[in-house]
């Protein structure tokens, strides 16, 4: 099981924690909300993201936390490789 940090646009009350499967709900000084906690598997993560969509708040970011450094999110690094651009000739 991995822990995640999910940032949302807008401020939600900590009372939303139960609706978000027990994740900690913290409002930030910048006017956004951070959900933090363990998510059992990818299916549960997708369910959480559907709930965010159902609520209609903007999804800012999703980070998985390293087991070695639980206080620091680990974004997926940009390898510089991108899908080729589509052209009218393709």
């Amino acid at each position: 099981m991995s822990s995640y940090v999910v940032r949302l646009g807008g401020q939600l009350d900590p009372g939303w924690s139960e609706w978000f499967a027990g994740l900690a709900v913290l409002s930030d000084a910048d006017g956004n909300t951070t959900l933090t906690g363990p998510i059992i598997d990818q299916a549960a993560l997708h369910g959480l993201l559907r709930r965010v969509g159902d609520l209609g708040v903007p999804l800012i970011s999703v980070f998985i936390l390293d087991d070695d450094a639980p206080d620091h999110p680990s974004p997926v690094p940009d390898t510089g490789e991108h899908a080729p651009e589509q052209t009218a000739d393709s």
Side-chain angles (χ1 to χ4, degrees):
M1 183 176 346
S2 298
S3 290
Y4 287 82
V5 175
V6 179
R7 297 212 4 107
L8 308 175
Q11 292 192 334
L12 297 177
D13 185 88
W16 284 92
S17 179
E18 186 176 330
W19 198 72
F20 283 117
L23 296 177
V25 177
L26 301 171
S27 292
D28 302 332
D30 61 0
N32 296 314
T33 297
T34 303
L35 308 176
T36 308
I39 298 176
I40 195 162
D41 58 18
Q42 289 293 303
L45 176 61
H46 285 266
L48 171 72
L49 296 176
R50 275 191 301 278
R51 283 183 173 254
V52 169
D54 291 346
L55 192 57
V57 296
L59 176 64
I60 297 173
S61 62
V62 177
F63 292 103
I64 189 169
L65 296 176
D66 278 342
D67 292 333
D68 297 335
D71 295 330
H72 303 289
S74 300
V76 176
D78 183 4
T79 63
E81 296 180 22
H82 302 283
E85 291 186 30
Q86 294 284 328
T87 65
D89 297 334
S90 317

